[in-house]
Amino acid sequence: MNQDIKISVVLPVYRNEAMLEELCQRLLEVMKQLNAQPELIFVNDASPDNSWEIIKSLAAKHPEVRGLNLSKNFGQHYAISAGLAHSNGDWVVVMDADLQDVPEEITKLYKEALRGYDIVLAQRQKRKDSWLKKRFSLWFYKLLSYLSGAKYDGSVANYGIYNRKVVAAIVDLPEKNRYFPSMVKWVGFHSTSIAVNHASRESGSSAYNWKKRTNLALDIILSYSDKPLRLAIKLGVLMVILSSAFAIWILIRWIKGDIVVEGYTSLLLSIWFLSGILILVLGVSGLYIGKIFENVKDRPTYIVKEEI
Ligand code: UDP
Ligand code: MG
């Protein structure tokens, strides 16, 4: 370990004004202990509070602090992307800016990385989040693992240390829908995870409400999996098989002369049932077409308004 090693820390900031000062102090202290040259990149995701003012004052005080101000609220994972693209450390740490990811744990992550890993992920030992949130997160990761065919672990989020090679690969990914953990999985490299402490929220409330969280979940599933489309096809095949069997049965009864005038109920039921399935499948395809449309537009993934 020596001063030539540069470690960047990418911090997406949204409504974190109360923690920034302390976060910065503690990060600089950790970097000093590691004897590394730090680069703290605070990415202000159009936070409605005073975060940007505080970042500016931190940057004025400490030469190691840099700030990016996004032109609007793009979302945590877009803020991370912006930070990664502007980082130039040999190692890059990505963490939340609300002090729930404990800065001192970087030491552990870095030491582990030096044993020959490109990626060291932080596994939150005891997640200090509400019961409901942990449930939701568990189901979400289960569903995502099933749909995307890769294993996601709810105790691992964005917090981790990443080698420059990994960061370069992620920055080069062209997709418009950014979800950091998926991109980390996709690029590969030699990776491991270690247990770290997770803190409870000291002030303020989560930037995510249920609507935002559900939207993010849907966005991620659509962006990183085409399994819903395949499930739709399977459903279609199943329907064809079932209705063929039904048709044969009816035909036999008709030939035998069993049918006089009935069928109102079955007719009506099948119309509604089939229409329901049709609309559902159309909806699923529609969602994907929407994603394609988004990518075809080729808009930038984020816009930096100001840099200090
Ligand atoms: N964040 C962001 N943009 C947003 C929402 C959140 O950059 O639109 C950042 C936020 O500043 C924090 C991290 O994402 O650093 C995690 O947010 P939060 O702690 O509110 O989420 P939770 O811990 O509840 O998952
Ligand atoms: Mg948090």
Side-chain angles (χ1 to χ4, degrees), residues 16 96-101 124 129 133 198-199 201 206-208:
N16 298 123
D96 287 358
D98 59 358
L99 285 175
Q100 285 197 275
D101 291 335
R124 296 171 287 182
D129 285 319
K133 185 169 161 189
H198 187 231
R201 215 162 214 293
S206 171
Y208 287 98

Side-chain angles (χ1 to χ4, degrees), residues 11-16 43-45 73-77 79-80 95-98 100 124 127 129 133 158 198 201 205-208 212-213:
L11 305 140
V13 175
Y14 184 79
R15 298 210 272 125
N16 298 123
V43 186
N44 178 37
D45 192 10
N73 181 243
F74 281 91
Q76 179 184 2
H77 297 274
I80 292 177
M95 65 192 289
D96 287 358
D98 59 358
Q100 285 197 275
R124 296 171 287 182
R127 262 186 86 172
D129 285 319
K133 185 169 161 189
N158 308 310
H198 187 231
R201 215 162 214 293
S205 57
S206 171
Y208 287 98
K212 210 166 163 184
R213 225 175 265 286

Side-chain angles (χ1 to χ4, degrees), residues 76-78 80-81 124 137 140-141 144 152-154 156-158 170 173 175-186 208 216-217 219-221 223-224:
Q76 179 184 2
H77 297 274
Y78 297 82
I80 292 177
S81 283
R124 296 171 287 182
S137 148
F140 166 70
Y141 282 111
L144 183 62
Y152 285 89
D153 172 355
V156 174
N158 308 310
I170 290 175
L173 290 182
E175 59 238 57
K176 303 292 174 199
N177 310 105
R178 316 294 284 189
Y179 178 57
F180 186 64
S182 280
M183 297 193 287
V184 169
K185 265 209 163 55
W186 191 85
Y208 287 98
L216 181 69
D219 217 41
I220 294 163
I221 287 169
S223 306
Y224 291 95

Side-chain angles (χ1 to χ4, degrees), residues 8 95 100 143 200 217 226 270 283:
S8 305
M95 65 192 289
Q100 285 197 275
L143 184 69
S200 49
D226 60 358
S270 38

